[in-house]
Amino acid sequence: MSLEGGPAPGRLPEGGLLKRSLVIAGHRTSVSLEAAFWEALRQLAVARGLSVQALVGRIDAERGEQNLSSAIRVFVLRAVWPGTGAGENSMQA
């Protein structure tokens, strides 16, 4: 899952929580994630032909009562964890 502009293969971005503002379903919200999760989310969005905001909107629509930051982390882990069935075919455009 390495794309141009990201960290070198096998390396995770360093840093603590990063807060970013997004507009989801017409509402502005802030999401705090570790740098590695933001980078993985960006790469997953690019692989699906989506913006990060659009992918987060899809995650938000399916999360139920789960906290949005937690839902994003779980989505990323399922997408990259072998055998979970949530890889490239999950949430296709």
Side-chain angles (χ1 to χ4, degrees):
M1 196 172 70
S2 177
L3 302 173
E4 269 186 53
R11 293 200 37 129
L12 293 174
E14 294 183 22
L17 285 177
L18 300 175
K19 185 180 272 192
R20 301 212 174 139
S21 295
L22 302 168
V23 177
I24 302 169
H27 300 283
R28 186 177 177 100
T29 190
S30 293
V31 177
S32 295
L33 295 171
E34 294 77 8
F37 279 100
W38 279 118
E39 177 59 21
L41 186 65
R42 183 192 69 79
Q43 291 183 19
L44 290 167
V46 167
R48 288 163 173 75
L50 298 170
S51 66
V52 169
Q53 186 164 292
L55 183 55
V56 170
R58 291 181 180 196
I59 295 167
D60 180 58
E62 295 184 9
R63 72 183 166 107
E65 297 296 316
Q66 188 177 23
N67 170 283
L68 181 57
S69 293
S70 295
I72 292 169
R73 287 184 187 97
V74 169
F75 173 83
V76 168
L77 286 174
R78 285 184 176 155
V80 300
W81 200 279
T84 60
E88 293 302 316
N89 293 325
S90 180
M91 290 191 192
Q92 283 285 340

